[in-house]
Amino acid sequence: MKVDLFDFDLPTDRIALHPATPRDAARMLVLDGAGMHDRGVCDLPTSLRPGDCLVFNDTRVIPAQLDGRRGEARIGATLHKREGPRRWRAFVKGAKRLREGDAIDFGHDVSATATTRGEDGSWALDFAGDEPVELLLARAGRMPLPPYIAGKRGIEARDAEDYQTMFAADPGAVAAPTAALHFTPALMAALAAAGIGYETLTLHVGAGTFLPVKAEDTADHRMHAEWGRIDAATAARLNAVRERGGRVIAVGTTSLRLLESATPEGGPIAAFEGDTAIFITPGYRFRAIDGLMTNFHLPRSTLFMLVSALMGRERMQAGYAHAIAQGYRFYSYGDASLLLP
């Protein structure tokens, strides 16, 4: 399909620069079989049914952005995928200044060697020393806010907390599973009281989630791989939800993509551990999920293509036009949508 089909005009003042306070005070646009409804995230317990199950991504964002030097040249690196105990794949600003074997000094006694360059232009960085890389990043790194936020107001101290979900447990992501940013202990208690359960899985979101689609046709776009895991017990409980007539509702496109990767044609959901580069566009037949809670996405993005595959492109275009007209807040710190096909 032509990428232009997934374009729309978004006023820049619709881009949220901070999350709602409290988090569950965000607005929520519901698209379901009955139409389109303006609600709030706090209405989620009454927007779902008893027996439904939400699925959250428990990845934890690491301070994955680094500023360094190779001699006099400035080098910026955004880690996006672990390849070994001390090796990370990174997108590099100033990559033309790098050669294989070059050492980069990131300050704070943190350095790495650029080893191999990938076909996508990324570099493998081997970190020096024997300290865990997580400790090195805690010293020298900063939170990898999306460029459409960081470019407008910079990174603030509060982002260290604002850009983590309440489920964050397994370090490794360089972007937050932002739909889950809306959840609070009070909201989870209300969901439990309404008979709505939840499960967690892990998908370490990579920096490729921020990359624009440069191809003119979706068939020519290559997704970056991300590592994820669903254990057998979680898969079994999710299958039991559907067997009892409940619905599996992914919270965020990351949860959805991993669930679909773990489910063979005809189902059921199975245990999964490894890389996924699944790219979901209209025409895809969903196997694992019955709905999706997600934020509002960029024009021409793979994520807008995904929600168009779930709900239909024309319906999502209409939903986004309504959201823009009604002042909904977009992107990572923005409002939510609940999509129930």
Side-chain angles (χ1 to χ4, degrees), residues 94 106 134 152 156 168 182 194 213 256 260 289 293 311 319 328 336:
F106 293 113
E134 288 76 13
K152 285 180 172 287
E156 302 170 358
H182 299 295
V213 177
L256 183 151
E260 291 297 319
I289 61 99
M293 181 178 174
M311 301 300 293
Y328 279 75

Side-chain angles (χ1 to χ4, degrees), residues 183-306:
F183 287 79
T184 64
L187 178 57
M188 293 304 295
L191 287 162
I196 298 160
Y198 80 95
E199 297 287 347
T200 62
L201 46 74
T202 304
L203 180 75
H204 290 326
V205 192
T209 192
F210 299 135
L211 295 181
V213 177
K214 296 180 179 179
E216 294 183 2
D217 194 285
T218 58
D220 299 322
H221 177 68
R222 179 184 175 188
M223 292 285 285
H224 285 81
E226 297 164 314
W227 182 91
R229 178 183 58 229
I230 301 174
D231 62 43
T234 301
R237 289 193 296 269
L238 290 172
N239 290 325
V241 166
R242 301 182 93 182
E243 290 168 3
R244 294 192 299 267
R247 297 176 297 182
V248 172
I249 311 295
V251 179
T253 56
T254 63
S255 295
L256 183 151
R257 292 175 63 244
L258 187 57
L259 285 166
E260 291 297 319
S261 299
T263 308
E265 190 72 39
I269 302 167
F272 180 97
E273 182 169 352
D275 286 348
T276 176
I278 190 171
F279 181 23
I280 295 175
T281 58
Y284 178 85
R285 296 184 63 181
F286 289 86
R287 306 187 288 260
I289 61 99
D290 305 292
L292 170 67
M293 181 178 174
T294 186
N295 286 13
F296 292 95
H297 304 294
L298 280 72
R300 302 170 61 92
S301 65
T302 60
L303 303 183
F304 186 64
M305 295 171 192
L306 183 154

